[in-house]
Amino acid sequence: MVLIFIDIAEDGSVKKSSLEALTYGAQLAKQLSVEAQGVVLAPATEDLSALGKYGVSKIHQVKNDALKHFDAQVYAKVIAQAVEQSGATVVVFSNNTDGKAVAPRLSARLKAGLVAGAVALPDTSNGFAVKKSVFSGKAFANVNITTPVKIISLNPNAFKIEEGTGTAEVVALNAIVDTPKLKVTAVKKQSGEVPLAEAEIVVSGGRGLKGPENWGILEDLARELHAGLACSRPVADAHWRPHNEHVGQTGGAIAPNLYIAVGISGAIQHLAGVNRSKVIVVINKDAEAPFFKAADYGIVGDLFDIIPKFTEAVKQLK
């Protein structure tokens, strides 16, 4: 059986990356001629039975106040119990922030082989080989898992979400839940913004914006595109923008369908965090900017002239 971890956002909704993991896990289960099931730990506001349209037949749900706030060690222990009770031989995560924290702990607890950053279904013709990206997305490796229980974490936006029909049976999972060692003292939520990890489109700015007072033109474009807003490391280090918007090798790694880089030179450290984007558009007045080598489309010119026109064109198109 294939067990898929369903990650729940702060507002109780199922994260887009988990819908990708559900589709991936369901197709893997079909490939292995076994059943696909899900496990939910955090409180959810959605109808979990509706997740059956993504290919799972059963959802194991744990209702416990101790799981309200994410704690990787507690989650790993509960999921290990879910694996043992369900008899799962493959566990699928999304390779997002939560998945990166839980999957390795579960791997150590179950002594199970783990491939993080998978980009395709395993090749089961001769073993269980999982294709993953390596060297910051510059190459791929096929890793064979030989342990009885296998763990895969799927790169966000690497697998297309597919909906079918059907409903899933939601059952209570009897699990021992430890008291979290992490204590949450306050939660501050930002509203009206598209989370970078979930964004289909990301607009990102660099030092070419010249200062935080000019960020409004990018905010206008992002608003019209319903896009997430990001920045390069020098911008975050200069406190022009918050560090949670920093993408790159030392920041967040994202894989949107469209990444628009404005006033960013494109150092290799920045490219490492965004090179899994489906389409990259670069806008820079420096025709020799390294980012143009990685771009699918490039515009050489003054961003202060281009971006307002870009935004106006989006408005007209809408």
Side-chain angles (χ1 to χ4, degrees):
M1 193 267 286
V2 176
L3 184 68
I4 303 115
F5 172 64
I6 302 170
D7 205 0
I8 305 297
E10 284 290 331
D11 62 1
S13 63
V14 177
K15 293 183 179 178
K16 172 180 170 288
S17 55
S18 284
L19 300 182
E20 296 167 0
L22 283 167
T23 301
Y24 179 91
Q27 291 193 19
L28 174 56
K30 187 176 180 180
Q31 181 176 317
L32 298 174
S33 300
V34 297
E35 197 175 356
Q37 300 180 8
V39 58
V40 173
L41 306 188
T45 56
E46 293 189 26
D47 177 12
L48 295 178
S49 64
L51 296 178
K53 63 185 178 183
Y54 299 103
V56 290
S57 60
K58 185 181 291 186
I59 304 290
H60 301 272
Q61 185 177 26
V62 182
K63 293 183 178 181
N64 191 301
D65 289 341
L67 299 171
K68 184 177 181 181
H69 297 293
F70 179 78
D71 184 307
Q73 294 190 45
V74 175
Y75 271 47
K77 184 173 181 180
V78 174
I79 295 172
Q81 295 174 67
V83 172
E84 292 165 0
Q85 291 182 32
S86 65
T89 55
V90 182
V91 186
V92 176
F93 291 87
S94 172
N95 196 37
N96 57 10
T97 304
D98 290 355
K100 288 177 180 178
V102 177
R105 288 177 167 86
L106 183 66
S107 173
R109 183 175 288 274
L110 298 179
K111 294 181 172 57
L114 163 66
V115 173
V119 296
L121 287 168
D123 180 358
T124 55
S125 59
N126 186 24
F128 196 92
V130 184
K131 184 179 181 180
K132 63 167 290 181
S133 60
V134 293
F135 301 118
S136 299
K138 295 184 182 65
F140 296 101
N142 291 304
V143 182
N144 197 38
I145 308 177
T146 58
T147 52
V149 177
K150 302 165 177 62
I151 302 174
I152 302 170
S153 61
L154 176 70
N155 266 349
N157 213 28
F159 209 77
K160 184 180 178 181
I161 298 171
E162 292 185 8
E163 294 185 22
T165 57
T167 57
E169 178 189 6
V170 180
V171 298
L173 177 70
N174 295 318
I176 298 171
V177 181
D178 292 343
T179 301
K181 294 181 180 179
L182 296 175
K183 183 179 180 181
V184 178
T185 58
V187 177
K188 295 181 180 180
K189 296 183 179 179
Q190 290 182 315
S191 60
E193 296 183 5
V194 180
L196 278 177
E198 302 290 312
E200 297 279 351
I201 303 172
V202 173
V203 176
S204 187
R207 284 179 292 184
L209 271 293
K210 299 182 179 179
E213 67 278 2
N214 296 320
W215 224 261
I217 62 172
L218 287 194
E219 292 173 340
D220 290 343
L221 177 59
R223 191 179 305 111
E224 293 300 325
L225 290 170
H226 192 60
L229 205 56
C231 69
S232 61
R233 178 173 176 172
V235 167
D237 287 346
H239 304 292
W240 293 1
R241 300 297 296 177
H243 274 280
N244 65 286
E245 293 183 0
H246 165 210
V247 293
Q249 191 170 37
T250 55
I254 57 175
N257 288 329
L258 174 61
Y259 182 73
I260 303 172
V262 182
I264 301 175
S265 63
I268 191 170
Q269 291 87 350
H270 182 80
L271 187 59
V274 303
N275 61 2
R276 287 190 292 113
S277 305
K278 295 290 192 299
V279 176
I280 296 176
V281 175
V282 173
I283 301 171
N284 202 302
K285 67 179 181 181
D286 180 9
E288 301 300 319
F291 220 155
F292 282 118
K293 295 179 181 179
D296 296 285
Y297 301 94
I299 303 173
V300 179
D302 188 340
L303 67 89
F304 294 103
D305 291 332
I306 295 168
I307 297 303
K309 294 176 182 177
F310 194 164
T311 305
E312 187 60 33
V314 173
K315 289 180 180 179
Q316 292 179 10
L317 184 62
K318 291 169 67 176

